[in-house]
C-alpha cells in the first residue's frame, strides 16, 4: 500500500455472552479513500464501527485511527476522527448553534477558531435556516445534518458514518450523497449502509460483511463483473454458508 493507512482493523472480534458479533475482521484503508461498508441487518457493521471508534472494546484484536491504537489512546485517536452514529445523540432543547458551541468547547476549541469552524460546518451542512431552532423541533433530515456538522466540527482526517441516509427522503438522500462526495476529496471515509444504491455514487471500494466476517473487499465494479447486479451479489454473499 503506497499511502499510510488511516483506518486499520487487525483481527477484530467482539463477543457478547455466547454470541460472536464480529469474527476476526481485518482491513486497512489508506488516506483519501471512500469505502462503503455493506451487509444485511445484523451482519456486524455497527459493532465493527463501534470497535473502530473506541465506543466498544474488542474481545480480541486491535483498531487504529491515523496510526494510533484506539484502545491504548482513545483521546488522541479521536482528534483525527469524526463519528456519525446511526442515531446520533443530540440534546433536543439545544439549538444547532448552541450544540456546536458545546461540542467544540468539549474538544478544547474556543475563540475565533471555534467560531470559524462553526460557520464552516453550518454552511457545508446547510443549517443556516435552522441554526437557532431547537433540535427537537427539526425534521430527521435536519437532525442528521446537525449530527454530521458535529462530526466535522474539528476538521478530522477520518470520518466513520453509520447509515448516514437512513430514514431520509429522496431529496435529503441526494443532499447527503453530494456532501459525502465533496468530503471524499479530502477525507478518509468508511460509510456503513445496507442500501445498494448508495455504493456506486460515492465509494471507491466496498467491504462486505456477513455473519460478522468480511466476505468481499474490492472495487464496486468487481461485484458486477460477472454480469450480475449489486442485488444479485448481495444475495449470493449473504446466502452463502459461513
Amino acid at each position: 500500500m503506497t499511502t499510510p493507512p488511516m483506518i486499520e482493523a487487525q483481527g477484530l472480534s467482539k463477543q457478547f455472552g455466547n454470541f460472536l458479533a464480529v469474527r476476526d475482521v481485518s482491513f486497512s484503508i489508506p488516506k483519501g479513500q471512500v469505502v462503503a461498508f455493506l451487509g444485511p441487518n445484523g451482519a456486524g457493521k455497527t459493532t465493527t464501527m463501534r470497535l473502530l471508534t473506541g465506543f466498544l472494546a474488542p474481545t480480541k484484536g486491535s483498531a487504529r485511527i491515523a496510526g494510533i491504537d484506539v484502545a491504548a489512546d482513545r483521546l488522541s485517536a479521536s482528534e483525527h476522527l469524526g463519528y456519525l452514529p446511526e442515531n446520533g445523540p443530540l440534546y433536543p432543547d439545544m439549538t444547532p448553534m448552541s450544540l456546536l458551541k458545546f461540542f467544540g468547547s468539549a474538544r478544547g476549541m474556543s475563540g475565533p477558531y471555534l467560531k470559524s469552524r462553526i460557520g464552516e460546518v453550518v454552511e457545508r451542512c446547510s443549517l443556516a435556516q435552522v441554526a437557532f431552532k431547537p433540535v427537537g423541533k427539526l425534521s430527521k433530515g435536519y437532525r442528521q445534518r446537525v449530527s454530521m456538522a458535529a462530526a466535522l466540527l474539528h476538521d478530522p482526517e477520518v470520518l466513520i458514518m453509520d447509515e448516514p441516509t437512513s430514514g431520509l427522503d429522496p431529496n435529503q438522500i441526494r443532499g447527503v450523497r453530494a456532501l459525502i462526495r465533496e468530503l471524499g476529496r479530502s477525507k478518509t471515509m468508511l460509510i456503513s449502509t445496507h442500501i445498494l444504491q448508495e455504493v456506486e455514487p460515492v465509494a471507491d471500494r466496498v467491504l462486505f460483511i456477513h455473519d460478522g466476517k468480511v466476505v468481499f473487499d474490492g472495487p464496486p465494479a468487481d461485484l458486477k463483473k460477472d454480469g450480475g447486479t449489486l442485488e444479485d451479489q448481495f444475495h449470493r454473499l449473504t446466502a452463502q454458508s459461513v
Side-chain angles (χ1 to χ4, degrees):
M1 193 172 287
T2 57
T3 55
M6 296 298 287
I7 304 174
E8 293 179 89
Q10 297 181 339
L12 277 182
S13 296
K14 182 62 180 179
Q15 189 161 348
F16 298 98
N18 294 324
F19 176 61
L20 191 58
V22 174
R23 310 181 184 200
D24 195 30
V25 166
S26 296
F27 57 84
S28 180
I29 302 177
K31 185 175 182 179
Q33 194 170 74
V34 179
V35 178
F37 199 28
L38 292 183
N41 291 332
K45 301 188 302 296
T46 293
T47 300
T48 301
M49 289 184 145
R50 289 176 175 175
L51 294 169
L52 289 170
T53 59
F55 186 86
L56 289 175
T59 304
K60 290 194 299 184
S62 63
R64 292 179 178 271
I65 297 294
I68 301 167
D69 188 300
V70 175
D73 194 352
R74 184 181 176 187
L75 288 179
S76 293
S78 70
E79 293 176 3
H80 301 269
L81 173 67
Y83 176 40
L84 178 69
E86 184 175 1
N87 295 298
L90 299 173
Y91 300 103
D93 294 332
M94 297 179 75
T95 67
M97 192 63 71
S98 61
L99 198 68
L100 291 170
K101 288 178 181 177
F102 172 72
F103 285 150
S105 177
R107 285 190 172 274
M109 303 165 67
S110 62
Y113 176 66
L114 176 56
K115 182 178 180 180
S116 172
R117 287 302 306 157
I118 289 174
E120 170 72 20
V121 298
V122 165
E123 180 179 358
R124 179 169 270 189
C125 297
S126 302
L127 290 171
Q129 289 185 332
V130 300
F132 297 98
K133 294 182 179 180
V135 169
K137 297 192 176 190
L138 301 182
S139 68
K140 181 164 184 177
Y142 271 120
R143 291 198 302 272
Q144 193 79 326
R145 292 189 204 180
V146 174
S147 294
M148 192 170 292
L152 294 171
L153 183 60
H154 59 298
D155 198 20
E157 303 162 88
V158 176
L159 289 171
I160 293 179
M161 299 183 176
D162 193 359
E163 303 284 357
T165 60
S166 176
L168 303 187
D169 67 35
N171 289 333
Q172 293 165 341
I173 289 172
R174 178 174 291 187
V176 171
R177 282 180 185 165
L179 179 57
I180 289 171
R181 281 195 294 269
E182 178 191 345
L183 293 170
R185 300 189 187 111
S186 59
K187 310 287 185 187
T188 304
M189 303 176 69
L190 179 65
I191 305 166
S192 163
T193 184
H194 64 274
I195 302 173
L196 300 182
Q197 292 88 341
E198 299 292 300
V199 177
E200 291 182 287
V202 300
D204 306 309
R205 173 180 165 198
V206 171
L207 281 167
F208 207 117
I209 190 170
H210 176 50
D211 198 22
K213 298 197 299 187
V214 174
V215 295
F216 177 85
D217 183 357
D222 282 3
L223 280 171
K224 302 194 301 181
K225 64 184 180 182
D226 63 355
T229 65
L230 288 178
E231 288 81 2
D232 293 335
Q233 296 299 340
F234 189 100
H235 176 73
R236 180 182 66 82
L237 290 168
T238 58
Q240 68 182 2
S241 298
V242 178

